[in-house]
Amino acid sequence: MSRDISENRKKLLEELGAAGRESSNAAVMYHSAMGERMGVGMTEEKTLDLLQRLGPLTAGEISQHTGLAPASVSGLIDRLEGKWLVRRVRDTKDRRRVIVEINHEQLAGFGELFEPFVAALAQLYERYTDEQLEVILDFLQRSTAAQREATASLSDPS
């Protein structure tokens, strides 16, 4: 019987790996298409999402949240600033700090592009119990942490 369980688990892990890759591919393609509609690259689009969710951040904080190297983040901010999507401003509490904030006026209307997908996810969530949603949430949080670590290791050549 333990053989059946291990064979079943092996099959489940293979399917989970394949489903994870499919999900990752779908997310990359979705955000690539979304970035194209917004006139930005995928990394820029996801950085804007980060700033919308967390509020103004320093370049160092963006680096921490994305796992991207500081030099990459500087170029990223330069590109977003060049498109008037963000601005660098002095921190009012500590004038030595520079924070990056979204230019909300420039992004007006882009939120509507996400509404069909958000609605589809809300409908999908209705299929699951609260306990199942807790397991899904735990998996997503842990897999996200693992992916951030993997990103940081790719960004750090040492």
Side-chain angles (χ1 to χ4, degrees):
M1 188 143 142
S2 65
R3 179 165 164 75
D4 290 338
I5 292 172
S6 66
E7 286 299 316
N8 184 51
R9 184 170 180 87
K10 180 181 175 187
K11 181 179 180 217
L12 282 172
L13 290 173
E14 287 173 3
E15 290 176 359
L16 186 58
R21 289 177 76 176
E22 284 291 323
S23 177
S24 175
N25 287 343
V28 167
M29 297 306 171
Y30 176 80
H31 289 290
S32 180
M34 186 61 69
E36 191 173 310
R37 289 286 300 271
M38 296 174 70
V40 298
M42 188 174 26
T43 304
E44 295 163 337
E45 187 260 328
K46 291 311 295 174
T47 301
L48 290 170
D49 174 65
L50 184 69
L51 290 167
Q52 285 180 313
R53 286 185 293 114
L54 301 180
L57 299 169
T58 66
E61 290 167 336
I62 292 171
S63 181
Q64 288 174 344
H65 287 287
T66 61
L68 297 172
S72 297
V73 170
S74 292
L76 171 65
I77 295 168
D78 289 343
R79 291 190 305 276
L80 288 170
E81 194 173 40
K83 294 174 183 174
W84 301 95
L85 296 171
V86 301
R87 56 186 156 251
R88 288 178 170 104
V89 295
R90 294 269 174 211
D91 188 331
T92 56
K93 296 177 184 133
D94 182 352
R95 300 290 296 159
R96 295 169 295 175
R97 282 176 30 115
V98 175
I99 57 175
V100 179
E101 63 181 22
I102 287 182
N103 181 354
H104 291 283
E105 300 81 35
Q106 192 73 4
L107 287 175
F110 283 120
E112 295 169 7
L113 294 174
F114 292 93
E115 288 176 8
F117 182 56
V118 170
L121 286 177
Q123 193 173 25
L124 177 63
Y125 297 153
E126 291 297 319
R127 297 182 55 167
Y128 298 96
T129 66
D130 288 353
E131 293 79 18
Q132 290 171 322
L133 289 173
E134 287 173 4
V135 171
I136 294 167
L137 178 61
D138 178 67
F139 173 80
L140 288 173
Q141 290 171 333
R142 290 172 186 254
S143 64
T144 298
Q147 193 161 37
R148 280 196 180 117
E149 287 177 25
T151 301
S153 70
L154 290 172
S155 298
D156 182 13
S158 60

